[in-house]
Amino acid sequence: MMEKKLELKEIVLIGRTFDEYYRMFELGNINFKDEKILDVASGVSSFCSEASPKGYNVSASDKIYHFSAKEIEEKCISDLKMVMEKLPSVADLYKWEFFKDIDALKENRERAYKLFIEDFKKENGIRYISAEYPKTLFADKEFTISLISHFLFMYDEHLSYEFHKKTLSEIIRITTKEIRIFPIVNLKGERSLFVKKLVEDSEFRDYKMTIKKVDYEFVKNGNEMMKIKIK
């Protein structure tokens, strides 16, 4: 019997909103006025565009940001259509609470990328920085908190353990306080084997890694965040 999972050949451009980030990363427990936040591999999420007017100091980073808004929007529309077509066959892998059904999910994802595109056109190169992980041009300790949403762990079939290590080392270099990663499950809805490997990896023994349950679960079992304390 074949394992059920969302079949994706590559990382897709699917955006998430400020409300999702707030719950996924427990942002209520940080004093955002004191923090300089990096959204890692942020894609077409609207977190940066929605957080900035609320007083958050957020920069978004992704390799797609060297493309034009029109090119990004075209790929996003096509990726969203493809994912929505595949979802009904794997709908039971998801909890339909935050989104009541597939139509509500689609509406939310469209809202996210439209807010992103609108802001990207105005702020490209200022708050939206082209960065191809695992290497970036950010300065040492440039940010206080880095958020990694639906990138590491989720795509463990596409991104090797070596890639995870290099990316995490790079984010540690540019972050002073804390890294938060959500979710820690892969596309099958299973905790990624890379979680245990990273926790036990001697290269990261100087950093405190903890797993924390959060008030957000869309992928079943995907309600945990990894926190990495830098100091």
Side-chain angles (χ1 to χ4, degrees):
M1 185 176 158
M2 278 182 66
E3 280 183 300
K4 186 178 271 197
K5 64 172 180 176
L6 184 60
E7 291 283 356
L8 300 176
K9 299 275 189 293
E10 58 179 35
I11 295 174
V12 292
L13 281 187
I14 299 291
R16 289 161 183 93
T17 60
F18 177 88
D19 289 343
E20 289 177 89
Y21 270 61
Y22 196 84
R23 289 170 63 168
M24 292 183 315
F25 293 114
E26 287 199 326
L27 296 183
N29 68 16
I30 67 165
N31 184 355
F32 64 85
K33 290 180 174 64
D34 296 338
E35 310 301 349
K36 189 176 180 191
I37 300 170
L38 177 66
D39 190 358
V40 173
S42 36
V44 294
S45 286
S46 60
F47 174 64
C48 183
S49 68
E50 292 185 88
S52 299
K54 297 178 194 293
Y56 287 70
N57 180 359
V58 180
S59 296
S61 60
D62 201 290
K63 67 179 182 179
I64 64 164
Y65 296 159
H66 70 274
F67 291 107
S68 69
K70 184 174 184 292
E71 289 171 311
I72 294 171
E73 188 168 20
E74 282 170 1
K75 172 156 173 52
C76 179
I77 290 167
S78 122
D79 282 359
L80 187 59
K81 182 174 182 287
M82 177 266 292
V83 169
M84 290 302 141
E85 283 169 357
K86 291 184 176 200
L87 260 184
S89 65
V90 290
D92 58 330
L93 293 178
Y94 299 86
K95 277 186 91 163
W96 298 98
E97 290 173 3
F98 191 87
F99 309 106
K100 70 177 191 297
D101 54 31
I102 289 175
D103 285 341
L105 172 67
K106 183 169 186 272
E107 192 178 309
N108 178 282
R109 297 290 178 249
E110 285 176 341
R111 176 178 173 271
Y113 88 71
K114 284 173 180 173
L115 284 169
F116 157 78
I117 290 290
E118 187 185 330
D119 200 45
F120 180 75
K121 285 175 179 172
K122 294 185 295 199
E123 299 284 346
N124 187 13
I126 303 168
R127 288 207 302 262
Y128 296 93
I129 299 135
S130 179
E132 186 155 4
Y133 293 93
K135 283 288 174 202
T136 74
L137 297 176
F138 293 121
D140 289 358
K141 306 186 186 320
E142 188 164 338
F143 303 94
T144 59
I145 293 177
S146 291
L147 307 176
I148 308 173
S149 161
H150 297 79
F151 178 45
L152 297 184
F153 302 139
M154 172 147 273
Y155 289 96
D156 59 5
E157 285 187 356
H158 301 273
L159 304 171
S160 68
Y161 180 64
E162 196 57 33
F163 179 89
H164 279 66
K165 276 182 67 167
K166 285 179 176 171
T167 299
L168 189 53
S169 295
E170 177 69 356
I171 297 165
I172 287 170
R173 178 186 74 78
I174 62 179
T175 309
T176 59
K177 290 184 184 176
E178 193 173 277
I179 297 163
R180 299 184 180 190
I181 307 173
F182 181 92
I184 60 172
V185 295
N186 56 26
L187 290 168
K188 296 173 193 163
E190 298 167 352
R191 182 182 283 198
S192 171
L193 298 176
F194 293 167
V195 173
K196 187 170 187 285
K197 283 186 82 168
L198 275 178
V199 170
E200 294 175 352
D201 198 308
S202 61
E203 281 190 36
F204 302 112
R205 64 175 173 267
D206 294 338
Y207 308 103
K208 186 184 176 193
M209 298 188 184
T210 53
I211 308 294
K212 178 85 169 51
K213 195 160 272 195
V214 298
D215 179 30
Y216 179 91
E217 185 176 3
F218 178 45
V219 177
K220 281 182 182 171
N221 308 314
N223 61 349
E224 293 176 310
M225 157 182 77
M226 176 182 272
K227 289 169 78 168
I228 303 166
K229 284 274 189 198
I230 309 297
K231 64 171 188 180

